[in-house]
Structure formats: C-alpha cells, structure tokens
Amino acid sequence: MTREAGLARLAAVIDRLGQRYAAERNTAPGPYTETTTSALSPYLRRRLITEQEVVAAARDTHGAGADKFVSEMFWRAYFKGYLETHPAIWSDYLRLVAEGEQQLAAASGLRRTYERAVEGQTGIEGFDDWARELVETGWLHNHARMWFASIWIFTLHLPWALGAAFFLRHLLDGDPASNTLSWRWVAGLHTRGKHYLARAENIRRYTDGRFDPTGLDERAMPLSEAEIAPAVPLAPADPVPARPVALLLHLDDLHPESLPLDPACVRRVGGLLAPAPGASGAVQAADAAAMADALARAGAHFSCPAGPAYAGWSGDLPVVSAWAPVGPSAAALPAGILRLRRSWDEASWPRATRGFFKLRTAIPRILDAVAA
C-alpha cells in the first residue's frame, strides 16, 4: 500500500478507463480475476494517489471517452462533501452500530442471523460467497457491494449500520463517507423512498451466470427514519501558513508533496494512525504501510525529520494538516491545528449538499477550477 503501487496500478488500467470501462463496469467477474473496475480505490481512499491526477490521466488518454469513469470518480467527492455538510449522519451511524450490537447481545435469533451472514453461511447463493470474499481479500466489486447490502437489509432484515460496520472493518478501501452513504442509499435513506433491491435476474446477468440466488425479497419497501440529518455550512479552511510549521499526516491524505505548502516552511512531519473502529488486521497493516510510505516521502520532500506523532513531537511549532473529512481521522486530530483544504475538495464539496446531479453538471467547471 504505497504511492508507487498506486501509480503502477493506474498505469496498468489506464487503457481500460474509456469506453471499455463504461461498457463493462457493472459486470462482477469474481475474486482472483481482473476486475472490470479500476481497483484504484484503496490508494485513492488514503490519497496515496489523488483524484485530480487520476482524472487527468484518464482524460489525457481517452478524452471524452473517459466521461463515465470521471463521473464515477466524482461520486467520491460527492459522498465526502455530503457527509461534511451533514455530519450528524456519521454520529447517528456510530450510535446505530452501538445499538445494533446491543440488539445482537439481547436477541439470540437476530444474533444467529448476523453470525451466519458475516460467516457466509446463510445459504443464499452469491451473498455467502461475497461475505467470505470480503473477509479473505478485503475487496468486493461495487455491484457485489450493492447486492450484498440489499440482501442484508431487505432479505435478512439485519440492521443496515451493522452491515456498514462489517464492510468498514474489512474493506481495504473502506471510506467512512462512501461506505456509510452507500449503505444508506441502498436502504432508501439517502434519497428518501428510493432504495436498491437486489434481483436474482440482475445477479445472474452481471455475474455471467455464476450465481442464481433464490428467496430474495424483491418487493421490500424502503427503510425510513424519524429525523433527517440537518445540513450545516461547510466549515472554512485555514489560510496557508507562511512560517515554520510541523505537518501532521493522517490516513485520509497521504500525498504531502502536493499540499499547498512551501517546503522550506515544514520543519517536522508526524503521522497519526486512526483506523476505522474494529479494523481487521489486513486493513490495519495496509494503513500502517501507507503511513510509513508517506512519512518516508515527506521526510525526503521537506528535508526534515518524519515519524510517528508521539506526545510533544511538534515541539513549539504550530501544527498544520490536510483537511480530514468526517470520520476517524477528523475525530483523532488535536484541536487548534491549522487545516488546509485541497482545491479539488474546495471546488467539489460546496456542490455536494443535496443530490449528485448538482455536482455532476458542474464537473467541467470543477475540472477547469482545479487546473487553473
């Protein structure tokens, strides 16, 4: 999990990110085969590679033929911006996970259903395979994630937040915003009344007949909730400092070389590891490897000491950090630090306060803004 590996993956898939991506992206070929998606998300999630450079590479290679891929890339920006302006969704998710765990402890029937689901022992073709694939590989094709979440919610009647937590524990690309809001979208909570139902015919078609599940509830009603998370204004970023600082890295942004900082001003670099709650050993190992790689690059780029952020690591220097979106990193960052926001986020997030359409129609203007 390094920047070099992310760039190598980008080079390996760049030829497929045009019309071929648009035609094949919904087909889920299964584990241990080349996926029809880019599989860049583990690197993008930690910003070992940046959205801006990936989109630029796709457009340079395919021109307008990359439009579908570029649009899908902006779902990441949309989810982050939406959660940033609706932070109560994250705190509500954490509360629902805690309540769901209490329900499992109190209700033996629910607990048995949950255990069979996460162990891949429900008897539902496809679903069981995806549960085991997730734990074994830390990865699922996006279409399989949708099918899995729908079956979890509407056929097995398990709490959606526990399913989202199961994903976040095991996915190597587990992103708090994308994961939480995708599960809510499947449930019918993100776009109220519009849910996603897994259908056997769709699964047969897009797995090339590998799976033909029976017993799916294909007529379930969407979930509902009593209160809608209020929108809050996007908090302003801090100005770029023009004085000596200590730079604090976190798992949401591990490309310090491209931050808007004068290298001569950075005198020390520290790294803060704040993994997702209950993260698997594989996810924690990936996080640690990514942080180690970023610290090594930062030390070389800024010509200064770089290592873990222990108590007092910054000395008397003011601390600056890339903006950490809502999630574990943001919760772990110390108060009083200066927070910088990348131009990609600054241009995207204000357009991500409602549905995706508002952001999608602004993509050309956003790309012009970040290229300026």
Side-chain angles (χ1 to χ4, degrees):
M1 194 56 60
T2 64
R3 174 165 171 79
E4 182 180 5
L7 291 173
R9 177 64 189 175
L10 175 59
V13 300
I14 191 65
D15 289 341
R16 298 196 284 107
L17 300 184
Q19 307 234 348
R20 181 179 172 186
Y21 173 87
E24 298 179 355
R25 59 177 293 273
N26 283 331
T27 300
Y32 311 113
T33 59
E34 181 56 64
T35 182
T36 56
T37 58
S38 72
L40 292 169
S41 51
Y43 309 101
L44 288 164
R45 182 265 175 273
R46 298 168 178 85
R47 270 188 173 157
L48 289 164
I49 56 177
T50 69
E51 299 93 333
Q52 188 170 343
E53 65 184 327
V54 170
V55 166
R59 296 178 82 217
D60 287 346
T61 303
H62 300 284
D67 283 355
K68 181 59 179 177
F69 174 75
V70 172
S71 177
E72 291 301 312
M73 283 287 294
F74 270 94
W75 274 99
R76 178 176 299 274
Y78 169 72
F79 283 140
K80 286 184 180 294
Y82 192 92
L83 194 61
E84 203 69 15
T85 54
H86 298 77
I89 289 176
W90 177 251
S91 55
D92 188 55
Y93 156 75
L94 295 176
R95 176 183 60 81
L96 289 172
V97 171
E99 291 178 359
E101 290 171 347
Q102 292 174 357
Q103 291 174 344
L104 295 181
S108 58
L110 182 69
R111 184 172 64 254
R112 285 193 295 271
T113 301
Y114 173 83
E115 290 171 349
R116 286 196 294 266
V118 298
E119 293 168 3
Q121 300 293 333
T122 68
I124 300 175
E125 192 173 324
F127 181 93
D128 289 346
D129 301 83
W130 300 321
R132 294 191 293 268
E133 180 182 347
L134 172 62
V135 173
E136 291 169 6
T137 70
W139 171 261
L140 282 180
H141 186 281
N142 183 63
H143 215 162
R145 299 184 197 201
M146 294 162 58
W147 293 323
F148 185 98
S150 181
I151 294 169
W152 178 285
I153 295 167
F154 298 116
T155 297
L156 297 176
H157 304 292
L158 288 165
W160 74 264
L162 291 183
F166 176 54
F167 268 24
L168 203 56
R169 285 198 299 273
H170 292 285
L171 283 171
L172 292 174
D173 64 355
D175 176 79
S178 296
N179 187 64
T180 305
L181 294 176
S182 292
W183 272 82
R184 285 176 56 83
W185 178 80
V186 169
L189 298 173
H190 183 69
T191 304
R192 289 174 66 85
K194 294 183 179 180
H195 57 327
Y196 176 81
L197 285 176
R199 302 185 186 280
E201 188 280 330
N202 186 268
I203 295 172
R204 283 195 303 272
R205 176 183 176 187
Y206 287 107
T207 61
D208 292 329
R210 286 186 302 116
F211 301 125
D212 188 11
T214 59
L216 304 187
D217 188 343
E218 301 185 7
R219 304 183 66 180
M221 298 298 292
L223 301 187
S224 61
E225 56 190 356
E227 297 181 5
I228 302 175
V232 300
L234 185 63
D238 293 304
V240 178
R243 61 188 188 278
V245 296
L247 173 62
L248 181 59
L249 302 183
H250 54 75
L251 291 172
D252 286 273
D253 199 311
L254 293 177
H255 191 230
E257 303 97 314
S258 61
L259 289 172
L261 288 168
D262 180 352
C265 289
V266 178
R267 304 298 173 81
R268 199 165 298 166
V269 180
L272 175 66
L273 281 172
S280 70
V283 170
Q284 291 187 54
D287 287 343
M291 179 61 75
D293 176 64
L295 287 170
R297 284 184 284 107
H301 180 74
F302 296 111
S303 300
C304 69
Y310 54 86
W313 71 277
S314 59
D316 296 328
L317 293 168
V319 178
V320 64
S321 175
W323 192 278
V326 170
S329 290
L333 287 178
I337 67 173
L338 301 173
R339 301 183 299 168
L340 309 181
R341 196 149 54 218
R342 292 182 181 270
S343 59
W344 181 271
D345 302 331
E346 198 70 56
S348 302
W349 290 358
R351 295 179 169 94
T353 56
R354 300 187 71 180
F356 180 65
F357 180 78
K358 180 181 178 182
L359 177 61
R360 187 181 68 187
T361 56
I363 288 175
R365 296 192 296 277
I366 294 170
L367 294 178
D368 288 343
V370 300

